């Protein structure tokens, strides 16, 4: 069963992004560190805008086409 993408004005936690992308925690943090996946922190909590997830996936689709 596929997980639907969240609405664009939603901020995801890392485990949510892991589930949406079907990637490990290590891979998600690597994407954040490399700047491929935009994120921000509030206190000690890392948040990933849903729009950032969409942009990342669209970029990967364009690269593979």
């Amino acid at each position: 069963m596929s997980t639907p993408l969240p609405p664009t004005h939603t901020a995801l936690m890392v485990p949510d992004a892991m589930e949406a992308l079907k990637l490990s925690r290590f891979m998600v943090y690597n994407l954040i560190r490399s700047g491929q996946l935009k994120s921000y922190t509030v206190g000690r909590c890392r948040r990933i805008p849903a729009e950032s997830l969409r942009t990342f996936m669209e970029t990967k689709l364009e690269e593979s086409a």
Side-chain angles (χ1 to χ4, degrees):
M1 182 169 139
S2 86
T3 306
L5 286 174
T8 55
H9 288 54
T10 300
L12 303 163
M13 296 180 356
V14 172
D16 299 327
M18 290 167 50
E19 175 65 25
L21 295 172
K22 304 296 187 228
L23 294 173
S24 69
R25 177 180 295 275
F26 177 79
M27 236 358 240
V28 170
Y29 276 108
N30 272 348
L31 292 171
I32 291 169
R33 274 191 287 279
S34 69
Q36 295 179 67
L37 188 59
K38 305 290 183 204
S39 69
Y40 61 92
T41 56
V42 177
R44 294 180 58 201
C45 301
R46 172 80 50 191
R47 295 291 183 259
I48 301 159
E51 189 58 38
S52 179
L53 232 52
R54 283 178 171 60
T55 302
F56 171 75
M57 288 187 281
E58 288 169 3
T59 301
K60 288 298 176 186
L61 284 171
E62 289 171 5
E63 287 174 3
S64 66

